[in-house]
Amino acid sequence: RQFLATAALVPLSPAIAPAFAEDVPQFIKTARANTELLEKCDLPRDYVRSYLQYRSIIQTSFDYLQFKVKPLLKNPETWPQVVGSFSSESGNAGQGGGGTYFDRNIVNPFRIIGLAAPPDVEGLREAEREYDNSIHRIGKMISGRGGDSPVEVTKADVKMVMDEYANGEKVLNKWVAILNDSLPVVELQAPGSSYKRSERAYVFQEKRRRE
C-alpha cells in the first residue's frame, strides 16, 4: 500500500503512553507526528478514526494482561483476584457497564476496528473472534475455583488455564501484526515474552488512577 504521507515507519517507542514525567515531551512530539501521518494516509477515514480512538485503551489492556492477569493466573490461590475481569459484573475496566473487562477493552475495540478495515486487510475479525472465545474459556475454567473455594484445583487444571492464556496471547500477537502492517506507523505492542512496556510505569499509573 502506498501512503500519501510517507513510506517510513515512525515507531511510538515503547508504547502509547510515556513512563514518567520526563518522557512526556518526546512522547507528545512522537504521538503528534504519528497522528498526523495517520490522518494524511490513504486509508479509510473510519479505520483511522477507530484506531486513534481505541489505541490507548487496547495498549493499556495489554499492560493489564501482561503485568497483572498472567501472574495471577499462574497460581490458583490468586484466581479470585482476577476472576472479576472475566465476568459481566466487572467494574475494573473503568469504561462503564456492559460485558466483561475484556469485552469492553479488547474484543469490542477489535471488532470496531476490524469492521472499518479496508478489504485488503484480512484476518482482524477472525483473530477478534478467536480471542473472544479464548478469554471466555479461561473465565469458565477459573470461575468458582481457587483461593478459599473447596473445589480442588490440580496442576493439570493450572496448565490448561495457562495453555489457553498462551493461545490467546498468540492471537493478540497475530491481530497486532496484521494491524501494524496495515498502518504507516507502528505503535501497538502485543503482550508476550518480548513485551517492552514498563511494569514500573504500569504500577505507577494504576496507583494514580486509584487515588
Side-chain angles (χ1 to χ4, degrees), residues 16 38 43-59 62 103-119 121-128 175-176 178-183 187-188:
I16 297 298
L38 287 161
L43 289 166
R45 293 298 89 198
D46 285 347
Y47 186 50
V48 172
R49 280 195 295 266
S50 297
Y51 170 72
L52 290 174
Q53 179 179 354
Y54 289 108
R55 59 182 176 178
S56 294
I57 292 173
I58 292 171
Q59 190 66 74
F62 289 169
D103 291 332
R104 296 191 299 270
N105 293 273
I106 297 180
V107 176
N108 287 344
F110 278 15
R111 182 177 299 119
I112 292 168
I113 293 172
L115 287 170
V121 178
E122 301 176 348
L124 290 177
R125 293 302 314 281
E126 178 185 359
E128 165 227 313
W175 189 91
V176 168
I178 295 170
L179 177 80
N180 284 343
D181 189 55
S182 74
L183 299 174
E187 295 184 316
L188 289 183

Side-chain angles (χ1 to χ4, degrees), residues 143-185:
S143 180
R145 309 180 74 186
D148 296 330
S149 171
V151 180
E152 181 184 6
V153 179
T154 67
K155 291 182 178 180
D157 293 328
V158 177
K159 184 179 184 302
M160 286 180 62
V161 169
M162 296 313 299
D163 285 349
E164 188 59 57
Y165 180 89
N167 175 62
E169 200 172 74
K170 289 179 182 178
V171 175
L172 292 180
N173 275 267
K174 178 170 67 173
W175 189 91
V176 168
I178 295 170
L179 177 80
N180 284 343
D181 189 55
S182 74
L183 299 174
V185 297

Side-chain angles (χ1 to χ4, degrees), residues 12-204:
L12 183 55
S13 176
I16 297 298
F20 294 100
E22 60 267 23
D23 301 321
V24 170
Q26 181 58 44
F27 161 75
I28 293 175
K29 182 178 179 180
T30 306
R32 284 175 176 171
N34 283 357
T35 299
E36 184 176 347
L37 281 176
L38 287 161
E39 290 175 343
K40 289 182 178 180
C41 75
D42 63 349
L43 289 166
R45 293 298 89 198
D46 285 347
Y47 186 50
V48 172
R49 280 195 295 266
S50 297
Y51 170 72
L52 290 174
Q53 179 179 354
Y54 289 108
R55 59 182 176 178
S56 294
I57 292 173
I58 292 171
Q59 190 66 74
T60 301
S61 299
F62 289 169
D63 286 346
Y64 177 61
L65 281 166
Q66 180 78 13
F67 300 130
K68 187 169 184 179
V69 175
K70 187 175 184 178
L72 292 177
L73 287 179
K74 290 179 178 179
N75 183 355
E77 291 299 314
T78 54
W79 285 359
Q81 297 179 38
V82 74
V83 71
S85 294
F86 294 85
S87 69
S88 296
E89 294 77 26
S90 170
N92 294 338
Q95 302 295 325
T100 69
Y101 174 94
F102 302 105
D103 291 332
R104 296 191 299 270
N105 293 273
I106 297 180
V107 176
N108 287 344
F110 278 15
R111 182 177 299 119
I112 292 168
I113 293 172
L115 287 170
D120 61 334
V121 178
E122 301 176 348
L124 290 177
R125 293 302 314 281
E126 178 185 359
E128 165 227 313
R129 287 187 285 266
E130 286 182 31
Y131 188 72
D132 188 22
N133 291 332
S134 177
I135 208 69
H136 280 89
R137 282 194 292 268
I138 294 176
K140 290 180 180 179
M141 290 179 188
I142 67 173
S143 180
R145 309 180 74 186
D148 296 330
S149 171
V151 180
E152 181 184 6
V153 179
T154 67
K155 291 182 178 180
D157 293 328
V158 177
K159 184 179 184 302
M160 286 180 62
V161 169
M162 296 313 299
D163 285 349
E164 188 59 57
Y165 180 89
N167 175 62
E169 200 172 74
K170 289 179 182 178
V171 175
L172 292 180
N173 275 267
K174 178 170 67 173
W175 189 91
V176 168
I178 295 170
L179 177 80
N180 284 343
D181 189 55
S182 74
L183 299 174
V185 297
V186 176
E187 295 184 316
L188 289 183
Q189 295 182 39
S193 58
S194 60
Y195 201 58
K196 295 182 176 63
R197 297 268 289 180
S198 167
E199 182 174 5
R200 179 170 170 241
Y202 168 73
V203 172
F204 175 76

